[in-house]
Amino acid sequence: MLGDGAFALALGAGLVAAVNPCGFALLPAYLATLVRPDDGRAAAVGRALRSTAALTLGFVAVFGAFGLVVAPVASSVQRWLPVFTLVLGVVLAAAGVWVLTGRELPGLRLLRTGSGRPLTDRWWSVVGFGASYALASLTCTIAPFLAVVVTAFRAGSVAEGVALFATYAAGMALLVGTAAVVVAVAGAGVVSRARGAGPVLARVGGGILVVAGLYVAWYGFWELRVLHAGAGTDPVVEGAAAVQRWLASAAEGLGWVGLLVVLLVVLASVGGLTWWRRHRA
């Protein structure tokens, strides 16, 4: 029988998984896609929550499959993960350049009604991004994941393993969801005050994609050099690792209670403002 400590550990591991050294640069890349010039605050919150659910699904699906199916041959699989990380970084950087030129990413384009108003995002594309996020993160996070969740399955308790897995997913979703809602609401507020800022914000997001993609590609290249050429420390990786450690420390310091409070306060504020405007109208 698992105690509360096991679930607290699973929740903490999920929180930190979102800002792991291998894939943490993908988080700002994801957040950069959430600011749209045609969104109000309520619409931005809804899209941020839907996107977080999709991203979490893709992330934990890869971890679940890897932990239960691929773990026996993990050593032979993991050596190819840096190649995927390198390719993913190049694709992200290319996507950023595409956005910088004023174009819209096809995979994140809004489906529109006949009136031209945004209806929803392509959910599957965000699930795919979450899966890519997980694959880029596996090298750094699969060990604590296996220790926390898969151990419970192997001990013969399927129910406890499922509960720990859900707790791990909840931790990851809470951190990403809080960040997504805050960024989406803040971005919608900026655009609502200055409609002309929409195209500028889109290009800022493209710039973030370029920087994140270049770092992810460099990290994958560095991992390949470590595996095959015995490379040592790298100043770019070490500098980014310092930022990652700060983010991980901040996430652990806030804990799930602090993140939940932030999320609820933002949601309540947006809900109250929306109700007030409709009541006033």
Side-chain angles (χ1 to χ4, degrees):
M1 190 72 179
L2 295 175
D4 293 340
F7 289 98
L9 183 61
L11 188 64
L15 289 173
V16 176
V19 288
N20 68 86
C22 301
F24 86 100
L26 295 175
L27 182 58
Y30 161 69
L31 296 176
T33 67
L34 293 175
V35 179
R36 305 286 175 81
D38 50 0
D39 268 358
R41 286 186 176 88
V45 168
R47 184 163 42 76
L49 293 176
R50 290 194 304 272
S51 296
T52 296
L55 182 120
T56 303
L57 176 62
F59 193 94
V60 299
V62 169
F63 269 71
F66 193 92
L68 296 177
V69 179
V70 188
V73 292
S75 59
S76 60
V77 172
Q78 281 186 310
R79 64 176 181 169
W80 295 105
L81 292 176
V83 176
F84 174 83
T85 302
L86 174 61
V87 173
L88 176 63
V90 172
V91 171
L92 278 177
V97 172
W98 179 270
V99 174
L100 281 173
T101 61
R103 299 182 179 95
E104 189 177 42
L105 289 177
L108 295 175
R109 185 172 296 137
L110 295 175
L111 300 176
R112 298 181 183 276
T113 62
S115 62
R117 296 178 60 189
L119 182 61
T120 184
D121 285 330
R122 289 180 177 174
W123 203 69
W124 59 266
S125 65
V126 189
V127 174
F129 186 87
S132 299
Y133 194 162
L135 287 169
S137 303
L138 276 172
T139 303
C140 295
T141 56
I142 193 61
F145 174 81
L146 292 174
V148 170
V149 179
V150 178
T151 300
F153 281 106
R154 290 178 176 172
S157 176
V158 175
E160 290 178 345
V162 170
L164 282 176
F165 185 77
T167 304
Y168 180 90
M172 191 265 182
L174 181 58
L175 190 146
V176 174
T178 302
V181 168
V182 170
V183 168
V185 170
V190 170
V191 174
S192 66
R193 287 191 295 271
R195 278 292 167 184
V200 175
L201 287 176
R203 284 173 170 76
V204 169
I208 294 174
L209 282 175
V210 171
V211 173
L214 290 176
Y215 170 75
V216 171
W218 183 263
Y219 192 95
F221 177 62
W222 174 74
E223 283 188 310
L224 286 173
R225 289 189 292 123
V226 170
L227 287 174
H228 300 290
T233 59
D234 181 271
V236 175
V237 174
E238 285 297 309
V243 177
Q244 178 272 329
R245 286 191 293 268
W246 180 83
L247 289 172
S249 177
E252 290 179 332
L254 277 174
W256 70 271
V257 175
L259 289 169
L260 186 60
V261 168
V262 172
L263 179 60
L264 291 177
V265 167
V266 173
L267 291 178
S269 300
V270 172
L273 182 61
T274 302
W275 176 86
W276 179 77
R277 285 178 173 174
R278 288 177 179 174
H279 181 71
R280 183 183 177 187

